């Protein structure tokens, strides 16, 4: 088993808790004394730095969320002056103002360090050639993985997104061993390669995918792993936390979240109440060491659960399970909560259905209507009409069983739904118009 920094990655859990407590105490002291934004928030919540006497006292502290960042646009929540900021990234978000994040030298160093541990946990290191096909620029994916991969001594091929045929030629000719991109983009790459007559499995050296920035299912993982002959690791992160940060290890059983950098809680999305270990809820993150944009109990909107068991890989830091969805991409259709990831899961379990789908939600009179458009697989497409009708019925019944609502299904020709180089946009909600 390879570690990047075994002393910290295998730190005894009790020592990690002590370290987290010390870092939390220092953070609250720093915010109370030096950040006008947090000082006001802490005063309102009637908490002083001295009230933090143990790790569990974190629950006395107030939450923050996206609204705080938006209300303090562009940089009023920063806790350093502009002269200490060496980089900005911007997250576009789906509505309202963008979110500006900033980094000091130390922040960038910590970010690369976290990714160095994570990429090592995916079995990568010196000698690997890593194609970074996340967007470079304001998005955190490209530059984040770039510096993380350089830190472990791998060779970086900074292709960014787009120009897919060239990406495939380079992957083959440069003997790329790992690719970092969204799972939907890797799917698109694999389809394009097929059209070009390139077999990623047989004609390239690709063995690892570091795939994330959007929810994807285990079924999709199986398809990618089997189809491309790779190990596909999930990677999680968010601009507010720095960018991409945490991956699974080779056990592929949850993201290892580096506890010396981030302190995690799971809270009830409705009430904000802290939930027990192992319960599913909204992730709240406290950044223990970030300088430019520290976040206290930041409610990130992602639904997951925490596992404090030491992983069989030997790493002792807490793990979170794969992201089920967001509190805010959760669709409520006729009063029922629906996550796009549940729909993907069902579709991927039906033989004959392709990999691409789109969800359209509409309202007829007072009634919500959900349509799932899905491409049929190449093989099923050549089948008889009767077979297609049965396939459509099968999808409808399976979706109904899992979601508990009637869903209209439309089978469409392979290659007709939009493809994505960045994050996939699977849901069109027409009810708001
Ligand atoms: O997506 C950072 C990133 C880049 C992560 C590259 C992984 C790889 P944002 O654009 O700010 O940052 O979006 C963050 O994306 O709160 C989640 O809702 C979602 N997300 C990120 N990774 C995953 C994942 C980047 N592996 C938001 N599974 C987060 C599910 C994910 N959702």
């Amino acid at each position: 088993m390879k570690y990047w920094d075994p002393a910290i990655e295998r730190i005894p859990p009790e020592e990690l808790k002590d370290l987290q407590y010390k870092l939390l105490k220092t953070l609250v002291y720093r915010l109370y004394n030096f950040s006008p934004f947090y000082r006001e928030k802490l005063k309102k919540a009637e908490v002083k730095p001295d009230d933090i006497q143990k790790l569990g006292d974190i629950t006395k502290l107030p939450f923050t969320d996206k609204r705080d960042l938006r209300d303090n646009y562009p940089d009023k929540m920063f806790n350093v002056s502009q002269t200490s900021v060496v980089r900005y990234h911007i997250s576009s978000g789906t509505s309202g103002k963008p979110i500006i994040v900033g980094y000091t030298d130390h922040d960038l160093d910590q970010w690369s360090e976290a990714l160095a541990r994570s990429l090592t946990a995916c079995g990568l290191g010196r000698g690997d050639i890593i194609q970074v096909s996340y967007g470079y620029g304001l998005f955190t994916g490209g530059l984040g993985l770039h510096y993380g991969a350089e830190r472990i001594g791998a060779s970086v091929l900074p292709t960014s997104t787009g120009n897919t045929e060239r990406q495939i030629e380079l992957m083959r000719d440069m003997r790329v061993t790992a690719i970092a991109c969204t799972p939907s983009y890797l799917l698109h790459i694999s389809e394009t390669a097929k059209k070009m007559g390139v077999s990623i499995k047989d004609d390239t050296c690709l063995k690892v995918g570091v795939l994330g920035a959007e929810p994807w299912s285990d079924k999709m993982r199986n398809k990618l792993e089997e189809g491309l002959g790779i190990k596909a690791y999930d990677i999680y992160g968010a601009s507010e936390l720095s960018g991409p940060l945490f991956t699974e290890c080779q056990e592929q059983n949850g993201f290892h979240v580096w506890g010396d950098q981030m302190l995690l809680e799971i809270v009830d999305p409705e009430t904000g109440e802290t939930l027990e270990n192992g319960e599913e809820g909204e992730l709240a993150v406290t950044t223990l060491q970030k300088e430019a944009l520290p976040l206290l109990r930041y409610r990130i909107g992602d639904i997951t659960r925490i596992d404090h068991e030491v992983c069989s890989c030997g790493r002792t830091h807490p793990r979170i399970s794969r992201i089920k969805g967001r509190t805010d991409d959760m669709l409520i259709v006729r009063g029922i909560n629906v996550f796009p990831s549940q729909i993907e899961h069902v579709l991927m379990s039906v033989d004959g259905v392709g990999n691409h789908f789109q969800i359209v939600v509409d309202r007829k009179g007072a009634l919500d209507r959900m349509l799932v458009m899905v491409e049929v697989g190449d093989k099923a497409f050549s089948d008889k009409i009767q077979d297609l009708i049965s396939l459509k019925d099968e999808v409808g019944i399976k979706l109904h069983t899992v979601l508990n609502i009637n869903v209209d299904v439309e089978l469409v020709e392979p290659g007709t739904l939009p493809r994505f180089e960045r994050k996939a946009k699977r849901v069109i909600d027409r009810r708001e118009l």
Side-chain angles (χ1 to χ4, degrees):
M1 187 66 66
K2 267 195 335 188
Y3 304 100
W4 173 250
D5 181 354
I8 185 71
E9 286 166 59
R10 306 190 65 181
I11 183 174
E14 286 311 311
E15 271 179 46
L16 179 60
K17 281 197 183 130
D18 282 350
L19 176 63
Q20 289 182 316
Y21 167 63
K22 281 182 197 133
L23 290 167
L24 179 67
K25 198 153 172 71
T26 317
L27 172 71
V28 175
Y29 178 83
R30 188 155 51 91
L31 296 181
Y32 191 83
N33 288 295
F34 301 111
S35 157
F37 167 81
Y38 279 109
R39 192 183 173 85
E40 198 190 310
K41 244 196 190 292
L42 290 165
K43 280 198 154 161
K44 231 189 215 161
E46 297 177 9
V47 203
K48 292 214 165 80
D50 279 348
D51 296 330
I52 305 299
Q53 294 294 335
K54 55 182 190 307
L55 200 53
D57 288 338
I58 189 169
T59 54
K60 296 179 179 164
L61 299 170
F63 288 113
T64 51
D65 62 24
K66 264 198 172 55
R67 274 170 307 184
D68 291 306
L69 288 162
R70 295 224 161 95
D71 293 348
N72 289 284
Y73 177 85
D75 57 2
K76 289 201 278 293
M77 264 174 78
F78 281 33
N79 200 31
V80 295
S81 70
Q82 179 269 318
T83 48
S84 303
V85 176
V86 293
R87 172 129 36 105
Y88 294 104
H89 280 290
I90 300 183
S91 146
S92 47
T94 44
S95 58
K97 288 199 188 90
I99 286 172
I100 315 281
V101 294
Y103 309 75
T104 62
D105 259 332
H106 177 258
D107 292 336
L108 287 185
D109 181 63
Q110 288 248 304
W111 183 14
S112 297
E113 198 60 21
L115 275 169
R117 294 181 203 165
S118 300
L119 293 173
T120 307
C122 298
L124 299 171
R126 193 169 292 280
D128 277 300
I129 302 173
I130 304 182
Q131 183 164 345
V132 179
S133 306
Y134 283 111
Y136 279 65
L138 294 176
F139 180 55
T140 54
L143 286 169
L145 276 143
H146 184 105
Y147 286 104
E150 279 189 357
R151 182 152 301 192
I152 59 170
S155 315
V156 179
L157 191 64
T159 46
S160 194
T161 51
N163 209 342
T164 307
E165 295 194 358
R166 178 118 179 89
Q167 299 244 10
I168 293 161
E169 283 162 10
L170 286 172
M171 177 189 288
R172 182 191 56 203
D173 300 346
M174 296 296 296
R175 297 182 298 281
V176 165
T177 57
I179 185 163
C181 61
T182 55
S184 44
Y185 190 44
L186 187 57
L187 204 56
H188 181 49
I189 289 179
S190 81
E191 288 177 346
T192 309
K194 219 182 210 170
K195 281 190 202 138
M196 290 164 66
V198 175
S199 156
I200 293 192
K201 203 176 199 165
D202 301 328
D203 304 333
T204 77
C205 301
L206 197 71
K207 60 174 186 163
V208 167
V210 184
L211 313 174
E214 62 187 12
W216 54 303
S217 59
D218 276 333
K219 299 269 178 199
M220 173 77 85
R221 181 190 335 247
N222 294 344
K223 279 198 176 184
L224 288 170
E225 289 194 332
E226 277 163 28
L228 306 181
I230 60 168
K231 275 270 241 179
Y233 295 105
D234 201 352
I235 177 165
Y236 173 72
S239 319
E240 301 94 305
L241 306 183
S242 283
L245 280 168
F246 310 117
T247 62
E248 304 165 308
C249 66
Q250 285 167 298
E251 302 291 328
Q252 292 178 311
N253 190 16
F255 303 102
H256 285 276
V257 176
W258 308 119
D260 54 322
Q261 296 197 5
M262 306 281 163
L263 183 55
L264 304 182
E265 295 169 89
I266 297 287
V267 302
D268 183 322
E270 304 282 326
T271 62
E273 210 176 295
T274 308
L275 297 178
E276 293 293 317
N277 265 348
E279 278 190 274
E280 184 175 278
E282 182 180 359
L283 185 64
V285 186
T286 298
T287 61
L288 291 173
Q289 299 206 41
K290 252 150 64 69
E291 294 178 337
L293 186 57
L295 294 171
L296 263 195
R297 305 189 81 200
Y298 181 73
R299 290 180 59 167
I300 200 157
D302 292 318
I303 306 284
T304 182
R305 59 181 87 221
I306 302 185
D307 183 354
H308 286 281
E309 279 287 300
V310 173
C311 181
S312 46
C313 75
R315 292 174 180 84
T316 50
H317 295 241
R319 273 169 294 157
I320 54 170
S321 54
R322 299 184 79 198
I323 307 299
K324 183 159 173 206
R326 293 188 48 84
T327 47
D328 53 8
D329 80 2
M330 186 175 75
L331 289 162
I332 302 181
V333 182
R334 280 175 244 152
I336 298 204
N337 297 347
V338 177
F339 285 99
S341 58
Q342 292 175 296
I343 295 178
E344 178 180 316
H345 192 82
V346 169
L347 295 176
M348 294 293 144
S349 70
V350 179
D351 261 0
V353 156
N355 294 320
H356 297 273
F357 67 98
Q358 192 141 54
I359 304 162
V360 184
V361 191
D362 225 332
R363 186 161 287 162
K364 263 201 178 153
L367 209 62
D368 292 335
R369 174 173 171 263
M370 187 159 80
L371 169 70
V372 172
M373 294 160 78
V374 59
E375 289 183 5
V376 291
D378 289 326
K379 196 187 146 290
F381 187 57
S382 52
D383 284 350
K384 292 193 265 344
I385 292 283
Q386 193 50 47
D387 294 341
L388 287 174
I389 293 173
S390 320
L391 180 63
K392 180 175 149 172
D393 290 346
E394 184 189 344
V395 173
I397 291 166
K398 285 198 163 158
L399 283 172
H400 182 267
T401 311
V402 172
L403 305 177
N404 237 338
I405 46 168
N406 281 323
V407 176
D408 294 327
V409 176
E410 189 179 323
L411 299 179
V412 301
E413 275 183 49
T416 48
L417 291 176
R419 300 299 194 258
F420 303 93
E421 289 174 354
R422 294 166 188 257
K423 299 188 193 224
K425 218 175 165 214
R426 305 262 187 228
V427 181
I428 302 171
D429 195 340
R430 298 213 173 106
R431 291 175 299 180
E432 291 156 358
L433 300 179

